[in-house]
Structures are given as C-alpha cells and as structure tokens.
Amino acid sequence: MGRLGWRRHKRNLKVLYASIYYRAEQAYPYVVCSDYISMDWHAQLIAFLERSGHEVTIRPHPSSDSVVTNQAIHNMGHWPSPTPFEELIADNDIAIFDSPASTAFRNALFSEIPILLLDNGLLPFTSHARYQLEKRVSIVPTYFNHQNRVEVEWQEVTDGIDCLLYTS
C-alpha cells in the first residue's frame, strides 16, 4: 500500500503544526494575534489533536523569540522541534497551519503533504485565490469570541483532517 493509501487507514496521525511567529509583543508589519491569544489558541489546538490520538510535532517560526517560544511550547507539554520544517514534512502525515503567510506554508504547498489551514480571516483571500487554494488545502474557519479567544468548531477540524486523508 502506498504512502497515501496507508494514511487513509491510519487513525492516529503524525501531525506537523507550524505555529506562527511568537514576536514577544514587538511590532509586526501585518495583522497577527498577540502572543497571549496565540498561545491560548495553540494550547487548545494541541490538546484537541492529542485527545484525538494524534502525535504532534510543533515547529515554530525560526525567527520567533526563542525564550518566549520555548517557554510557551514547554507549557503545552512539548519542546519545539529544531529541525527545519522542510525536513519534517517527510516524517509526518499532515501539516496544520493557522496562517498562510509563511515560507513554510508555501513549501508545504509544493510538497505532497496534506494541509489543513485553520483560517482566522486576518489575511483574507480574494475569491479566486481561495478557490485555487481549496484545490490543495482543507480550510476550516476560526473566529474570535467575545473574550477575544480563538474558537473553532472542533468537528470541522476532524472533518477537515478526514477530508485530507480521503482526497490525497
């Protein structure tokens, strides 16, 4: 059975999560969540993936503040992977992103790894760009609740992962 067929029958996946740039609250040239909102979201997401039986590898942006990044990810029960993202692709079943604005996202698009984008809408796509992206990526919307926490319908995440496995 080929790699893609094997993925379809596997229940516990190896998930590569490319987290966004933890910036230690410094200014950034486009809209991103503050670190504390991102850390809360990442903790929710990683806990959900692990409760679902998946093995998660976290690869933060290499320019992230290392003290903030290491402490945040350690508080989630993990250590960030120092391995370059591109080298981690081959060892994982799917990649999850919550921002399309990264070299890692672009490199994943050019690879064969199935991609789930948890889209918070901060970097909106044109309708044509979204149409093209949806040919390659499963997109699940997220939103901000009244406390400014990132929320998602967890069943949609599960469905998005399942869709990747059966269309790859």
Side-chain angles (χ1 to χ4, degrees), residues 16-21 28 30 57-63 83-89 94-117 133 136-137:
L16 175 55
Y17 176 55
S19 69
I20 64 166
Y21 179 69
Y28 206 62
Y30 61 84
T57 298
I58 304 169
R59 177 59 176 119
H61 191 283
S63 297
T83 305
F85 177 83
E86 296 72 19
E87 293 177 26
L88 291 169
I89 288 176
I94 66 168
I96 295 179
F97 293 86
D98 50 22
S99 174
S102 70
T103 305
F105 185 76
R106 184 205 63 206
N107 292 343
L109 285 173
F110 292 130
S111 76
E112 292 184 14
I113 194 166
I115 301 169
L116 177 68
L117 174 62
L133 193 60
R136 171 72 178 88
V137 177

Side-chain angles (χ1 to χ4, degrees), residues 32-48:
V32 293
C33 295
S34 65
D35 288 348
Y36 70 91
I37 291 172
S38 294
M39 290 174 196
D40 175 67
W41 164 239
H42 297 159
Q44 290 181 65
L45 176 61
I46 291 163
F48 170 78

